[in-house]
Amino acid sequence: MTALETDLSAFQAERPRLISIAYRMLGERAAAEDVVQDVWLRWDRADTGDVANPQAWLTAATTRLAIDALRKARVRREAYTGPWLPEPWLHDPADDLLARIETAQQAELALLWAMEALTPRERAAFILHEAFDTGYEALAGVLDTSEAACRQLVSRARRKTRGGPARAGSAPEAIMELLAGIMTAYARGDIGQIAALLSEDVVAISDGGGKARAALRPLMGAAETAQVMHALATRKPPDRVPDLVWMNGRPAIGILDGGASDFLMTVTPAADNPSRIGWIYVMRNPLKLPL
């Protein structure tokens, strides 16, 4: 095996993990793939004979490039029309490659959204430590700082992402039941039935990106959310029933016909009452919907 073939083999073995790190950092699939492609170019140019641990080298390179990319992305997101939501990752749960990409923890959309409150370095520390079991010594090497500083970064990230309306780690069956309930209530146009499925502090966010009809701010609370959903239910319904799909490792529903009514939606159970919805995600932006 030539040196190039050895380098390519080492990189390909790590590529799903690197994409997963970059996607969690950026919340955008194409941007994550761009970061990992840049990592390959650097790896290809590096003197890999001196690299004792290819995984550590590639992880550090991916994380540092993703931190830089996130800083630039946040400048662009300040001018985004309406709420910005992470791009969904639609997949077949039986797909082995994507199952390997979703290592350790699922890249849950509720958590990705909550991580927008973190600084890029807090986000990197949190992702590597919590989702990939990276120890503080290794984390210090990746972020070029001390172990004590890394502990502080992770601690701050935990505090900032704790206590929101979303309940991470929910069973797919629970999400599927809530989705079925909300679609039944929506189809009936029953505002009382809709409200009964929502937690008092539910947050509903729709992302149209200025390219599709969507609320220009998050809906807060059961009363407001139920009222808006009821108003939508009384309008002309979509041409067909939404399909059940898998998105970021969790059930979702959507219409993906390439038309004006396309959307993807998922929910997360409330932290204090899993039988009610704590967070609603609706993607309408056609640039973020799978083709």
Side-chain angles (χ1 to χ4, degrees):
M1 185 179 287
T2 66
L4 177 59
E5 289 172 333
T6 300
D7 288 348
L8 180 58
S9 177
F11 175 79
Q12 293 287 32
E14 292 298 319
R15 187 175 182 274
R17 182 174 181 274
L18 302 180
I19 289 178
S20 188
I21 291 170
Y23 173 68
R24 283 172 167 83
M25 283 291 297
L26 299 168
E28 298 177 10
R29 183 169 176 171
E33 291 172 344
D34 287 344
V35 164
V36 174
Q37 179 62 26
D38 200 356
V39 171
W40 159 248
L41 295 175
R42 295 183 181 217
W43 177 248
D44 186 42
R45 293 194 298 264
D47 186 358
T48 56
D50 294 333
V51 177
N53 187 336
Q55 183 185 82
W57 192 102
L58 291 167
T59 297
T62 299
T63 303
R64 291 165 186 167
L65 287 172
I67 286 173
D68 291 341
L70 181 58
R71 286 171 176 154
K72 294 173 184 175
R74 285 187 168 171
V75 173
R76 296 194 303 271
R77 290 172 194 174
E78 289 177 359
Y80 196 80
T81 301
W84 182 93
L85 282 171
E87 181 183 348
W89 195 308
L90 199 67
H91 63 90
D92 181 341
D95 189 311
D96 290 339
L97 172 62
L98 288 171
R100 285 189 283 116
I101 287 175
E102 298 296 334
T103 55
Q105 288 181 349
Q106 299 293 343
E108 294 187 50
L109 289 162
L111 183 57
L112 292 181
W113 173 72
M115 284 195 292
E116 285 296 300
L118 308 181
T119 68
R121 286 171 65 81
E122 286 171 348
R123 187 164 180 159
F126 183 74
I127 289 167
L128 291 177
H129 184 70
E130 298 291 308
F132 295 94
D133 296 321
T134 304
Y136 287 110
E137 182 179 358
L139 193 55
V142 171
L143 297 178
D144 193 23
T145 189
S146 67
E147 290 185 47
C150 288
R151 290 180 188 276
Q152 291 178 352
L153 287 169
V154 172
S155 178
R156 286 200 299 268
R158 284 173 177 162
R159 286 197 302 272
K160 290 181 180 181
T161 56
R162 187 185 299 135
R167 185 173 188 266
S170 305
E173 294 79 10
I175 296 173
M176 207 170 298
E177 185 174 344
L178 289 171
L179 283 171
I182 203 70
M183 288 307 297
T184 299
Y186 185 84
R188 292 175 179 170
D190 187 335
I191 190 170
Q193 189 177 359
I194 292 171
L197 288 164
L198 307 175
S199 69
E200 285 303 313
D201 58 353
V202 65
V203 178
I205 309 176
S206 55
D207 179 342
K211 302 180 184 304
R213 188 179 180 88
L216 293 177
R217 62 172 180 82
L219 304 178
M220 311 296 290
E224 181 181 43
T225 303
Q227 194 170 45
V228 171
M229 292 186 74
H230 178 258
L232 291 172
T234 59
R235 296 178 183 173
K236 182 185 176 186
D239 294 336
R240 69 173 176 83
V241 176
D243 295 318
L244 176 66
V245 297
W246 283 81
M247 189 166 72
N248 291 63
R250 294 291 184 268
I253 54 174
I255 294 176
L256 297 171
D257 291 336
S261 61
D262 280 16
F263 77 98
L264 282 169
M265 182 179 86
T266 191
V267 301
T268 301
D272 58 352
N273 187 352
S275 66
R276 293 198 173 196
I277 296 169
W279 189 76
I280 301 174
Y281 169 105
V282 181
M283 180 54 67
R284 298 289 328 280
N285 186 344
L287 298 181
K288 292 185 179 182
L289 290 172
L291 298 177

